[in-house]
Amino acid sequence: MRVSWVTDDKHAPSVVEYGVVSGNYTASASGDHTSYRYFLYTSGKIHHVTIGPLEPSTVYYYRCGRAGHELSLRTPPAALPIELAVAGDLGQTEWTASTLAHVSKTDYDVLLVPGDLSYAETQQPLWDTFGRFVQRHATRRPWMVTQGNHEVEAALNIPGAPRPFAAYEARWRTPHEESGSEQYAWLKRDLAGVDRENTPWLVVLLHAPWYNTNAAHQGEGEAMRKAMERVLFEARVDVVFAGHVHAYERFTRVYDNKANPCGPVYITIGDGGNREGLAFDFQKNHKLAPLSVMREASFGHGRLRVVNATAAHWAWHRNDDADSVVRDELWLESLVASAECGKRAYPGSAGGSPIDEL
Ligand SMILES: [Fe+2]
């Protein structure tokens, strides 16, 4: 598990002390640190420390930089069931606070964020306020994020401009170094290496939705869909979560613009609560409308509870509802367990020959 934090103190050590008893740190780990400049802004010292190996389903108490107050986190379980919370396009508004409050109201194991985090829009101190904003939640459970367009912050045509993703890569370090290759080659190799006996469920997180009947961001995911949809389909990916469109939308199982029982369920969950507001204009006559099962422009979050190797429960929760009212839900059967789709699973899953690299 990687622990990341920022200090103003440039001499603060990149060390995390931890243990299973409060105040009794039986282990410690050292990591590295970075910082970045963005025109006149210079970030604090950004520390990244990987701790572990950790026991599953265990609460660890930890302290960052040999100073400050104690934090605690719980590791995910080693076996099913596991509960994944999903919230995209967060920002740092009162709606975001409401979303995160709803997320923590019911227990969960991991939070997935399909892109668009701080909405700093090049105002770098807003990355710092975003860190403080989410700290109460992000210190307690693992977060896995992916990048959206709001992470790019490219200042094109300005000489000496910071490189794209400068803040995001420095602050929200994902396992891209561990991935070993660039996106398409990595994806094919990673999927081919999944043993579906041990890993019956495959969930993909990306930003711009491939399937979308909202007027907002129409067609923006199309190039990526054309390049990668077949790879996910053949790998029998169960669910694809996207953000970007600030609303909720769930499709039936789809492949190549047609309903297909062996395709993934596509879910847009870009309704975390950012300052740009909601995308209200769902198009009734959109060519994909017959495949869209549920769509609503409200802030909220989703939860995928993977019960066992064959069954998972998906639920979408609206922030508008004081109690945890589920506005959309369904039971999913894993594709590898399905009599119709399982037999044609990705050849790599049976330990077959490696898939051709691009
Ligand atoms: Fe976006």
mmCIF file of all heavy atoms in Angstrom, residues 90-113:
data_model
loop_
_atom_site.group_PDB
_atom_site.id
_atom_site.type_symbol
_atom_site.label_atom_id
_atom_site.label_comp_id
_atom_site.label_asym_id
_atom_site.label_seq_id
_atom_site.Cartn_x
_atom_site.Cartn_y
_atom_site.Cartn_z
ATOM 1 N N LEU A 90 -14.807 14.353 -8.930
ATOM 2 C CA LEU A 90 -15.089 14.755 -7.551
ATOM 3 C C LEU A 90 -15.134 16.271 -7.354
ATOM 4 O O LEU A 90 -16.123 16.816 -6.901
ATOM 5 C CB LEU A 90 -14.046 14.143 -6.615
ATOM 6 C CG LEU A 90 -14.183 12.638 -6.380
ATOM 7 C CD1 LEU A 90 -13.006 12.128 -5.557
ATOM 8 C CD2 LEU A 90 -15.489 12.317 -5.677
ATOM 9 N N GLY A 91 -14.015 16.957 -7.647
ATOM 10 C CA GLY A 91 -13.957 18.367 -7.287
ATOM 11 C C GLY A 91 -13.916 18.536 -5.782
ATOM 12 O O GLY A 91 -13.588 17.599 -5.037
ATOM 13 N N GLN A 92 -14.267 19.714 -5.300
ATOM 14 C CA GLN A 92 -14.201 19.981 -3.861
ATOM 15 C C GLN A 92 -15.276 20.972 -3.453
ATOM 16 O O GLN A 92 -14.998 22.036 -2.916
ATOM 17 C CB GLN A 92 -12.813 20.447 -3.443
ATOM 18 C CG GLN A 92 -12.113 21.373 -4.416
ATOM 19 C CD GLN A 92 -10.636 21.562 -4.075
ATOM 20 O OE1 GLN A 92 -10.277 21.765 -2.924
ATOM 21 N NE2 GLN A 92 -9.776 21.508 -5.080
ATOM 22 N N THR A 93 -16.525 20.594 -3.750
ATOM 23 C CA THR A 93 -17.665 21.436 -3.411
ATOM 24 C C THR A 93 -18.445 20.809 -2.254
ATOM 25 O O THR A 93 -18.094 19.727 -1.770
ATOM 26 C CB THR A 93 -18.627 21.554 -4.604
ATOM 27 O OG1 THR A 93 -19.281 20.291 -4.783
ATOM 28 C CG2 THR A 93 -17.895 21.934 -5.888
ATOM 29 N N GLU A 94 -19.537 21.482 -1.877
ATOM 30 C CA GLU A 94 -20.404 20.889 -0.853
ATOM 31 C C GLU A 94 -21.031 19.591 -1.346
ATOM 32 O O GLU A 94 -21.320 18.685 -0.568
ATOM 33 C CB GLU A 94 -21.486 21.882 -0.443
ATOM 34 C CG GLU A 94 -20.909 23.001 0.403
ATOM 35 C CD GLU A 94 -21.972 23.978 0.881
ATOM 36 O OE1 GLU A 94 -23.163 23.640 0.837
ATOM 37 O OE2 GLU A 94 -21.581 25.080 1.287
ATOM 38 N N TRP A 95 -21.247 19.520 -2.669
ATOM 39 C CA TRP A 95 -21.778 18.269 -3.228
ATOM 40 C C TRP A 95 -20.748 17.148 -3.106
ATOM 41 O O TRP A 95 -21.090 16.002 -2.830
ATOM 42 C CB TRP A 95 -22.171 18.454 -4.692
ATOM 43 C CG TRP A 95 -23.490 19.137 -4.830
ATOM 44 C CD1 TRP A 95 -23.731 20.368 -5.347
ATOM 45 C CD2 TRP A 95 -24.759 18.622 -4.415
ATOM 46 N NE1 TRP A 95 -25.069 20.665 -5.285
ATOM 47 C CE2 TRP A 95 -25.726 19.609 -4.719
ATOM 48 C CE3 TRP A 95 -25.179 17.436 -3.811
ATOM 49 C CZ2 TRP A 95 -27.074 19.440 -4.439
ATOM 50 C CZ3 TRP A 95 -26.530 17.267 -3.532
ATOM 51 C CH2 TRP A 95 -27.454 18.259 -3.850
ATOM 52 N N THR A 96 -19.479 17.496 -3.306
ATOM 53 C CA THR A 96 -18.427 16.485 -3.139
ATOM 54 C C THR A 96 -18.418 15.992 -1.696
ATOM 55 O O THR A 96 -18.300 14.785 -1.434
ATOM 56 C CB THR A 96 -17.043 17.079 -3.464
ATOM 57 O OG1 THR A 96 -17.149 17.982 -4.558
ATOM 58 C CG2 THR A 96 -16.049 15.980 -3.770
ATOM 59 N N ALA A 97 -18.520 16.937 -0.763
ATOM 60 C CA ALA A 97 -18.526 16.562 0.652
ATOM 61 C C ALA A 97 -19.698 15.625 0.936
ATOM 62 O O ALA A 97 -19.570 14.641 1.668
ATOM 63 C CB ALA A 97 -18.605 17.813 1.520
ATOM 64 N N SER A 98 -20.835 15.934 0.324
ATOM 65 C CA SER A 98 -22.019 15.090 0.504
ATOM 66 C C SER A 98 -21.772 13.687 -0.065
ATOM 67 O O SER A 98 -22.103 12.678 0.562
ATOM 68 C CB SER A 98 -23.203 15.772 -0.185
ATOM 69 O OG SER A 98 -24.265 14.885 -0.362
ATOM 70 N N THR A 99 -21.167 13.634 -1.258
ATOM 71 C CA THR A 99 -20.875 12.328 -1.863
ATOM 72 C C THR A 99 -19.967 11.502 -0.962
ATOM 73 O O THR A 99 -20.242 10.327 -0.686
ATOM 74 C CB THR A 99 -20.183 12.513 -3.237
ATOM 75 O OG1 THR A 99 -21.054 13.237 -4.094
ATOM 76 C CG2 THR A 99 -19.846 11.166 -3.870
ATOM 77 N N LEU A 100 -18.880 12.122 -0.487
ATOM 78 C CA LEU A 100 -17.924 11.365 0.332
ATOM 79 C C LEU A 100 -18.556 10.969 1.670
ATOM 80 O O LEU A 100 -18.262 9.894 2.207
ATOM 81 C CB LEU A 100 -16.643 12.176 0.542
ATOM 82 C CG LEU A 100 -15.820 12.378 -0.740
ATOM 83 C CD1 LEU A 100 -14.615 13.289 -0.471
ATOM 84 C CD2 LEU A 100 -15.351 11.046 -1.327
ATOM 85 N N ALA A 101 -19.436 11.827 2.190
ATOM 86 C CA ALA A 101 -20.131 11.465 3.434
ATOM 87 C C ALA A 101 -21.027 10.247 3.198
ATOM 88 O O ALA A 101 -21.092 9.344 4.028
ATOM 89 C CB ALA A 101 -20.950 12.650 3.942
ATOM 90 N N HIS A 102 -21.700 10.234 2.044
ATOM 91 C CA HIS A 102 -22.542 9.075 1.725
ATOM 92 C C HIS A 102 -21.691 7.819 1.519
ATOM 93 O O HIS A 102 -22.090 6.721 1.905
ATOM 94 C CB HIS A 102 -23.372 9.340 0.460
ATOM 95 C CG HIS A 102 -24.633 10.081 0.721
ATOM 96 N ND1 HIS A 102 -24.663 11.436 0.998
ATOM 97 C CD2 HIS A 102 -25.913 9.676 0.755
ATOM 98 C CE1 HIS A 102 -25.922 11.818 1.186
ATOM 99 N NE2 HIS A 102 -26.704 10.763 1.045
ATOM 100 N N VAL A 103 -20.528 7.991 0.904
ATOM 101 C CA VAL A 103 -19.635 6.844 0.686
ATOM 102 C C VAL A 103 -19.248 6.238 2.027
ATOM 103 O O VAL A 103 -19.275 5.025 2.225
ATOM 104 C CB VAL A 103 -18.372 7.265 -0.100
ATOM 105 C CG1 VAL A 103 -17.307 6.173 -0.040
ATOM 106 C CG2 VAL A 103 -18.729 7.567 -1.557
ATOM 107 N N SER A 104 -18.881 7.116 2.999
ATOM 108 C CA SER A 104 -18.391 6.549 4.272
ATOM 109 C C SER A 104 -19.481 6.129 5.230
ATOM 110 O O SER A 104 -19.199 5.524 6.240
ATOM 111 C CB SER A 104 -17.480 7.522 5.038
ATOM 112 O OG SER A 104 -17.221 8.645 4.347
ATOM 113 N N LYS A 105 -20.727 6.477 4.903
ATOM 114 C CA LYS A 105 -21.817 6.133 5.813
ATOM 115 C C LYS A 105 -21.987 4.613 5.918
ATOM 116 O O LYS A 105 -22.390 4.095 6.956
ATOM 117 C CB LYS A 105 -23.121 6.777 5.328
ATOM 118 C CG LYS A 105 -24.113 6.989 6.427
ATOM 119 C CD LYS A 105 -24.983 8.224 6.211
ATOM 120 C CE LYS A 105 -25.972 8.035 5.076
ATOM 121 N NZ LYS A 105 -26.858 9.205 4.920
ATOM 122 N N THR A 106 -21.693 3.917 4.832
ATOM 123 C CA THR A 106 -21.771 2.460 4.848
ATOM 124 C C THR A 106 -20.366 1.935 4.592
ATOM 125 O O THR A 106 -19.631 2.512 3.792
ATOM 126 C CB THR A 106 -22.712 1.957 3.737
ATOM 127 O OG1 THR A 106 -23.896 2.755 3.761
ATOM 128 C CG2 THR A 106 -23.095 0.511 3.948
ATOM 129 N N ASP A 107 -20.009 0.856 5.254
ATOM 130 C CA ASP A 107 -18.639 0.349 5.151
ATOM 131 C C ASP A 107 -18.312 -0.072 3.710
ATOM 132 O O ASP A 107 -19.191 -0.489 2.957
ATOM 133 C CB ASP A 107 -18.463 -0.841 6.098
ATOM 134 C CG ASP A 107 -16.992 -1.105 6.371
ATOM 135 O OD1 ASP A 107 -16.153 -0.245 6.041
ATOM 136 O OD2 ASP A 107 -16.691 -2.185 6.907
ATOM 137 N N TYR A 108 -17.058 0.074 3.364
ATOM 138 C CA TYR A 108 -16.589 -0.350 2.041
ATOM 139 C C TYR A 108 -15.107 -0.644 2.166
ATOM 140 O O TYR A 108 -14.484 -0.339 3.188
ATOM 141 C CB TYR A 108 -16.848 0.745 0.982
ATOM 142 C CG TYR A 108 -16.035 1.994 1.207
ATOM 143 C CD1 TYR A 108 -14.888 2.241 0.448
ATOM 144 C CD2 TYR A 108 -16.382 2.912 2.197
ATOM 145 C CE1 TYR A 108 -14.119 3.375 0.665
ATOM 146 C CE2 TYR A 108 -15.615 4.040 2.417
ATOM 147 C CZ TYR A 108 -14.489 4.269 1.658
ATOM 148 O OH TYR A 108 -13.722 5.376 1.891
ATOM 149 N N ASP A 109 -14.531 -1.244 1.127
ATOM 150 C CA ASP A 109 -13.131 -1.672 1.200
ATOM 151 C C ASP A 109 -12.186 -0.779 0.416
ATOM 152 O O ASP A 109 -11.076 -0.515 0.856
ATOM 153 C CB ASP A 109 -13.009 -3.120 0.707
ATOM 154 C CG ASP A 109 -13.755 -4.082 1.608
ATOM 155 O OD1 ASP A 109 -13.392 -4.163 2.794
ATOM 156 O OD2 ASP A 109 -14.715 -4.724 1.143
ATOM 157 N N VAL A 110 -12.596 -0.363 -0.788
ATOM 158 C CA VAL A 110 -11.725 0.410 -1.679
ATOM 159 C C VAL A 110 -12.581 1.444 -2.394
ATOM 160 O O VAL A 110 -13.729 1.153 -2.746
ATOM 161 C CB VAL A 110 -11.057 -0.513 -2.739
ATOM 162 C CG1 VAL A 110 -10.222 0.289 -3.723
ATOM 163 C CG2 VAL A 110 -10.204 -1.586 -2.071
ATOM 164 N N LEU A 111 -12.034 2.642 -2.616
ATOM 165 C CA LEU A 111 -12.733 3.641 -3.431
ATOM 166 C C LEU A 111 -12.054 3.745 -4.793
ATOM 167 O O LEU A 111 -10.838 3.919 -4.874
ATOM 168 C CB LEU A 111 -12.733 5.013 -2.753
ATOM 169 C CG LEU A 111 -13.413 6.120 -3.580
ATOM 170 C CD1 LEU A 111 -14.918 5.921 -3.648
ATOM 171 C CD2 LEU A 111 -13.105 7.505 -3.032
ATOM 172 N N LEU A 112 -12.841 3.646 -5.844
ATOM 173 C CA LEU A 112 -12.349 3.817 -7.211
ATOM 174 C C LEU A 112 -12.793 5.176 -7.733
ATOM 175 O O LEU A 112 -13.958 5.538 -7.611
ATOM 176 C CB LEU A 112 -12.916 2.720 -8.130
ATOM 177 C CG LEU A 112 -12.724 1.266 -7.679
ATOM 178 C CD1 LEU A 112 -13.401 0.316 -8.668
ATOM 179 C CD2 LEU A 112 -11.245 0.935 -7.545
ATOM 180 N N VAL A 113 -11.859 5.931 -8.324
ATOM 181 C CA VAL A 113 -12.174 7.262 -8.856
ATOM 182 C C VAL A 113 -11.828 7.289 -10.350
ATOM 183 O O VAL A 113 -10.651 7.336 -10.712
ATOM 184 C CB VAL A 113 -11.386 8.366 -8.122
ATOM 185 C CG1 VAL A 113 -11.771 9.747 -8.665
ATOM 186 C CG2 VAL A 113 -11.621 8.314 -6.618
#
